[in-house]
């Protein structure tokens, strides 16, 4: 299982690209160039290649979520859990934003969203 959650922060001193590239660099032992290439390709697939050079303090909440999502997707686990997206995605209508991101990726697996019960009506829109 891969998880996207507010309590799994990014490394503030690294760019979005570097935060994502850590996964193939350290878990799959790819070279730094190949890890960066994979990270950039995933950001481009998600439609957010322009945030690659931004560090955590410079990211909007939606951009931070995309970076966290890309980092989780880079794990290539069959199950992706998005935990309380409203805690992170307070700058966009997040059920639609998540659906749009899910449609842009071709990584197989299931996406599960766990949210507060009072936010459930948002998902029926």
């Amino acid at each position: 299982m891969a998880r996207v959650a507010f309590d799994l922060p990014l490394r503030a001193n690294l760019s979005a690209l570097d935060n994502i590239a850590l996964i193939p660099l350290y878990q799959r032992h790819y070279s730094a160039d190949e890890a960066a290439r994979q990270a950039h390709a995933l950001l481009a697939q998600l439609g957010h290649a322009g945030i690659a050079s931004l560090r955590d303090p410079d990211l909007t909440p939606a951009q931070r979520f995309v970076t966290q999502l890309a980092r989780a997707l880079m794990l290539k686990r069959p199950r992706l859990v998005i935990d309380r997206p409203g805690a992170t995605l307070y700058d966009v209508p997040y059920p639609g934003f998540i659906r749009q991101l899910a449609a842009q990726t071709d990584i197989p697996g299931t996406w599960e969203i766990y949210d507060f019960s009072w936010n459930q009506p948002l998902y029926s829109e």
Side-chain angles (χ1 to χ4, degrees):
M1 170 184 76
R3 188 168 159 246
V4 178
F6 181 76
D7 61 345
L8 297 173
L10 300 174
R11 306 278 306 189
N13 61 331
L14 298 179
S15 68
L17 182 79
D18 292 338
N19 266 284
I20 300 162
L22 286 175
I23 303 300
L25 184 65
Y26 289 108
Q27 290 195 358
R28 295 195 183 86
H29 308 291
Y30 284 108
S31 69
D33 289 340
E34 177 59 19
R37 187 198 65 73
Q38 289 180 17
H40 194 273
L42 186 52
L43 278 174
Q45 184 180 6
L46 292 170
H48 287 81
I51 69 170
S53 64
L54 299 177
R55 290 180 35 236
D56 184 41
D58 304 322
L59 295 170
T60 67
Q63 292 169 334
R64 187 171 296 108
F65 178 84
V66 168
T67 305
Q68 291 173 324
L69 175 66
R71 187 174 59 184
L73 289 172
M74 190 62 75
L75 291 168
K76 297 183 181 172
R77 303 274 167 77
R79 184 173 170 220
L80 172 71
V81 172
I82 300 173
D83 188 11
R84 295 170 294 170
T88 305
L89 286 172
Y90 48 85
D91 63 334
V92 295
Y94 62 87
F97 185 72
I98 293 170
R99 280 192 291 273
Q100 178 187 16
L101 292 170
Q104 291 174 296
T105 180
D106 61 0
I107 298 172
T110 60
W111 291 34
E112 300 174 26
I113 299 174
Y114 292 92
D115 206 347
F116 296 111
S117 60
W118 55 81
N119 286 336
Q120 292 308 311
L122 297 173
Y123 295 96
S124 61
E125 297 174 351

